[in-house]
Amino acid sequence: MYRETITSTNILARKLLTSNIDLPFVVISEEQTQGKGRLKRSWFSPSKKGLWFSTAFPISGKNKKIGHYNFLVSLAVSSAVETFSGLKIDFKWPNDILCGGKKICGILSEVISEDSGNIVLVGAGLNVDIELKELADDIKDKATSILIETGKSPDRDELFIELVRTLNLLYDIWEKNGLTPLYKEWIKKCATLGKTVSIAQGKQKITGTAESVNSDGSLNLIGSNGKKYKIYAGDIEYIINDQ
Ligand code: BTN
């Protein structure tokens, strides 16, 4: 489903779920007026400057977990961007998609409980044609776009078609061969592993080494106090010396 403008594609996807729509589906909008980021932040989504879209999947099948849908969508985004632009993409746990250490795409997953089972909404915002001067001062040194990185604007329609094609392909691989091929690919691209990081967990701030990511998407952290932590969600910061 396509829209010129919408508050948020995640909000639209949530509404569509009440109308007996078939799953899975994808909604995309040229612009979002209330784009939502993680941790209640807003997401800058100017008209025709990015791919602002949400996918909805039933969480069905043996051993399927919410984190798996994040692997799926982030791999589809990275593959489409790399094919189209030649850029090298990597991941920052849990679900930031980076280029040269700067965020080019963010992912917001939400779980919805229905009588018929759980549904996961995976919303992704990929910065395509945003210019550096359009970015707010507080994110200028942290965010980027395909245009900023390459000086070129890819055809957004073709980029999106490639992305959805890859999403379908990876979904089929997952159905046929299980999670392992996707998980291995995701780990290969995860730049967080081995880094010294800090993460807020409630009122506590944990610092340590990001040791590994489990197949459910959670992060194993060895704290600088020697304790082992399994972290399911949060926003990590890389400790500068280590970058
Ligand atoms: C993040 O904070 O990193 C997540 C950003 C997610 C933005 C996308 S854009 C499409 C979808 N609709 C929203 O309102 N948010 C997500």
Side-chain angles (χ1 to χ4, degrees):
M1 183 167 301
Y2 167 86
R3 288 279 192 277
E4 271 290 327
T5 185
I6 193 81
T7 49
S8 150
T9 55
N10 270 33
I11 295 175
L12 174 64
R14 220 175 238 271
K15 278 198 195 127
L16 289 171
L17 289 174
T18 59
S19 68
N20 269 343
I21 188 168
D22 285 339
L23 292 168
F25 67 78
V26 182
V27 292
I28 181 157
S29 182
E30 298 287 7
E31 176 189 46
Q32 296 184 119
T33 53
Q34 290 167 39
K36 297 195 283 177
R38 290 173 56 239
L39 307 174
K40 303 216 161 88
R41 297 184 190 119
S42 60
W43 186 260
F44 180 53
S45 323
S47 181
K48 302 197 164 96
K49 300 264 174 161
L51 297 182
W52 326 123
F53 66 97
S54 300
T55 51
F57 300 94
I59 307 185
S60 62
K62 230 173 78 199
N63 298 327
K64 287 195 172 158
K65 306 241 163 63
I66 304 157
H68 299 170
Y69 297 86
N70 170 43
F71 291 152
L72 183 70
V73 175
S74 47
L75 283 170
V77 170
S78 64
S79 162
V81 172
E82 288 182 340
T83 305
F84 252 72
S85 63
L87 291 169
K88 177 155 177 342
I89 299 297
D90 52 47
F91 303 144
K92 179 180 176 198
W93 186 90
N95 44 19
D96 286 348
I97 301 181
L98 308 188
C99 178
K102 294 184 175 182
K103 185 154 157 178
I104 199 161
C105 178
I107 290 189
L108 175 69
S109 300
E110 299 180 73
V111 177
I112 293 156
S113 292
E114 300 263 298
D115 293 343
S116 50
N118 286 340
I119 291 167
V120 60
L121 294 182
V122 187
L126 172 64
N127 298 336
V128 180
D129 269 335
I130 294 179
E131 293 176 60
L132 192 59
K133 61 176 189 240
E134 291 177 275
L135 293 173
D137 286 344
D138 58 334
I139 57 168
K140 263 199 168 64
D141 59 340
K142 294 187 206 139
T144 193
S145 71
I146 297 182
L147 176 64
I148 295 170
E149 294 300 320
T150 62
K152 292 185 205 134
S153 306
D155 183 313
R156 280 178 313 113
D157 291 345
E158 282 181 21
L159 178 60
F160 189 59
I161 290 167
E162 171 68 13
L163 200 158
V164 174
R165 196 189 63 80
T166 313
L167 194 59
N168 279 318
L169 207 78
L170 292 173
Y171 194 80
D172 286 347
I173 294 177
W174 183 18
E175 292 284 70
K176 276 200 203 97
N177 305 326
L179 184 73
T180 308
L182 263 63
Y183 171 67
K184 279 192 175 156
E185 232 6 74
W186 198 91
I187 294 292
K188 260 198 235 161
K189 295 185 97 58
C190 180
T192 304
L193 299 180
K195 286 212 160 63
T196 307
V197 303
S198 78
I199 182 164
Q201 291 288 280
K203 285 185 183 150
Q204 210 190 354
K205 193 160 192 168
I206 303 172
T207 300
T209 307
E211 195 194 32
S212 53
V213 170
N214 301 302
S215 63
D216 64 357
S218 57
L219 175 73
N220 295 322
L221 195 79
I222 310 279
S224 40
N225 55 6
K227 266 196 197 166
K228 287 187 177 181
Y229 298 90
K230 189 167 181 178
I231 317 267
Y232 285 91
D235 224 13
I236 57 170
E237 271 174 46
Y238 291 156
I239 305 290
I240 303 289
N241 294 343
D242 207 77
Q243 268 184 333

